[in-house]
Structures are given as C-alpha cells and as structure tokens.
Amino acid sequence: MREVVREMILFILLSFFRVQGALAGPHTLIYYYTLNHGNTNLPEYSFVVVLDGCEIQYYDKNMAVTVPRQKWMAAAFDRNYWVTNTVSTTGFHGIIKGQVDEWMRRHNETTNYHYIQGQFGCEVNDHSPNVGILKLAYDGRYAFSFDKNTLKWTVHDPIAEPLKEKWDKNEKMNRYFKSLLENDCVDLWHTYYAIGKTYLTREEGNSKKNGHIGLIAVCVLILLAIVLAVFVWWKKKRREYQNIQPNQNVHC
C-alpha cells in the first residue's frame, strides 16, 4: 500500500514539473519548409512561419506573395514588405533545391516522388545564448542538421552521407545560413514580437491558465484514486479480520 501511494505522489510531482517546464518555454521564430519533388498536385514548395507557437505567415509556389496569418501582422506591414519577404524565402528555397536536385540526378531519383522537410529559425533566450535551428528531413527521415558555430553539417541518416563533404566545404552557403540564424532570425523575432506581444501574451496567459487547470484536474483524479485505493485496502483488511476465528493464529 505504501508503494502505491509513493508512486502516485511521485507521479503528481513529475506531472507538476513537466507542466511547469512546458509553460516556461523559450521564445522562437521557426520557418517550416516543404519541398515537393514530382507531385504535380501539390505546390513545389511552401513555408509556414510560426512565432512563439503562433502561425503568422504562409507562402507557397502557387501564390503571388506571402500572406499574413494574423490580423495584427497584416496591419503592421504593407504589400511591399510581403513581396520582399517572399523574395527572401524563395532565396532559401533556391539554395536547398539546387543542392537536392543535383543529388537526385546522381542517384537517378528524378522520376520519383520525394519530399524535403526543413525547419530553420532561432530560439531567443534572455539569460543564455540564442540557439540557431536548421534541420532537414528526406521523405520523413531526419537526415541533416547544421551547426552554426562550426559551420559543419551532421548526418542523422545514411541518405545524407553523400552530401556532407560537399556541404561542409561550401563556406559561402554555410556563412549565409549562419547569418540567417544569428542575425536575421533574431532581428525578425524582436520585430514581430514587439508588434504582437499583446496578442501573444494573451494567448500565453490562456495556455498557462489551461495548463494549471489541467494540472489541478490531474492531481484531483490522482488523489481520488489514492482515496479509493485506501478504501479498498481497508475493506479487504476488515473482511480478513471478520473471517478470523477466536482460536485462529494471525500471521504478523
């Protein structure tokens, strides 16, 4: 019985720290990129931009210009800004597509359907160094990541091994990515966050409130389970004592 109660209490504590950790997450600006090779029913490529968990803009090859996903973003910038933004994202796409197309030609994969998923952006921290994020997946397999400090690529799947040596040597491309992660992304985060802080803080407050409510609900359910376990244990012991005969020995 003590072990059951101890495990339940431990579960409550772990749940508490897990929720607290989730509520205290860092600030981020992440671009989710998808390159479609061969499937004519889908756009050739697309970008979804997410600020602190809130989708703020979208673009794909079939569109003329990037579109804001939040009213406060639409109100803050004119059309010229979104045109310039589109040029910047297509520049990133051009680099990745050029490298991937060459790799596909070498491996005779140009006639097959393939998808490249990318995640690039930054994690902005107040009391620790900012973190640059650049990861690539091939057909859903996490394949490649970039280290902005060493300007080197790390292979996470053998499919990316043939690209590593070439990409490591491409200093111009890697310095472009480093600047993108360390400077452009961080500057954009500050710009966007300053504009949307009121709305984002409101959403964050609702998330924290919902998180605390969920934690309280979990704790109440666990406490009810403990009470039920104690009640069942007590009934079992009571039944055992009632079944003991006057001259019967009781095992200690």
Side-chain angles (χ1 to χ4, degrees):
M1 184 61 197
R2 290 180 179 177
E3 292 299 323
V4 173
V5 174
R6 187 182 297 116
E7 289 179 5
M8 289 182 174
I9 293 174
L10 179 60
F11 179 80
I12 292 174
L13 292 175
L14 289 175
S15 299
F16 174 78
F17 287 116
R18 190 180 298 117
V19 171
Q20 291 302 309
L23 294 177
H27 294 292
T28 56
L29 178 63
I30 306 294
Y31 289 70
Y32 294 94
Y33 164 73
T34 301
L35 167 61
N36 158 43
H37 176 85
N39 189 343
T40 57
N41 295 319
L42 297 173
E44 178 188 337
Y45 65 96
S46 64
F47 287 90
V48 177
V49 186
V50 178
L51 172 68
D52 286 1
C54 175
E55 183 181 340
I56 59 171
Q57 54 187 269
Y58 174 83
Y59 175 76
D60 67 49
K61 180 66 180 301
N62 296 338
M63 301 169 60
V65 66
T66 301
V67 295
R69 289 296 205 189
Q70 302 296 326
K71 291 181 179 179
W72 48 269
M73 283 289 288
F77 302 103
D78 60 17
R79 180 177 171 80
N80 289 334
Y81 176 83
W82 297 112
V83 171
T84 303
N85 190 289
T86 303
V87 173
S88 299
T89 53
T90 53
F92 175 89
H93 162 71
I95 294 175
I96 300 299
K97 178 175 170 55
Q99 298 289 338
V100 171
D101 282 353
E102 181 181 347
W103 180 88
M104 287 186 179
R105 285 193 296 270
R106 287 184 179 181
H107 292 79
N108 297 319
E109 291 287 343
T110 55
T111 59
N112 298 321
Y113 290 174
H114 292 291
Y115 301 93
I116 305 297
Q117 298 89 23
Q119 180 181 344
F120 68 94
C122 51
E123 181 181 293
V124 182
N125 300 293
D126 294 329
H127 305 296
S128 59
N130 297 329
V131 177
I133 301 167
L134 177 47
K135 304 175 182 180
L136 295 172
Y138 179 81
D139 289 345
R141 295 152 56 185
Y142 181 27
F144 236 4
S145 64
F146 177 66
D147 186 332
K148 66 182 181 63
N149 297 318
T150 63
L151 299 181
K152 300 295 182 183
W153 292 83
T154 300
V155 174
H156 301 280
D157 188 284
I159 196 73
E161 192 66 49
L163 294 173
K164 175 175 169 54
E165 183 178 359
K166 180 183 178 183
W167 286 25
D168 280 349
K169 291 181 178 180
N170 194 333
E171 185 176 352
K172 181 178 180 180
M173 178 183 77
N174 292 335
R175 290 201 174 279
Y176 165 76
F177 286 146
K178 178 181 176 70
S179 177
L180 194 71
L181 300 177
E182 287 187 342
N183 302 317
D184 298 21
C185 182
V186 176
D187 290 345
L188 280 174
W189 178 86
H190 283 289
T191 299
Y192 294 157
Y193 187 76
I195 296 168
K197 183 177 181 180
T198 301
Y199 305 93
L200 293 169
T201 303
R202 185 184 306 157
E203 291 298 322
E204 182 181 353
N206 290 335
S207 296
K208 287 184 176 181
K209 180 180 178 181
N210 292 335
H212 288 307
I213 292 174
L215 177 59
I216 292 171
V218 169
C219 292
V220 169
L221 289 174
I222 293 174
L223 289 174
L224 288 174
I226 293 174
V227 171
L228 179 60
V230 171
F231 178 71
V232 171
W233 174 81
W234 175 79
K235 286 193 68 176
K236 180 181 177 182
K237 288 298 182 182
R238 184 169 179 268
R239 192 179 302 113
E240 289 176 359
Y241 281 116
Q242 287 176 342
N243 292 333
I244 295 174
Q245 300 300 321
N247 297 323
Q248 184 176 345
N249 291 328
V250 179
H251 295 288
C252 295

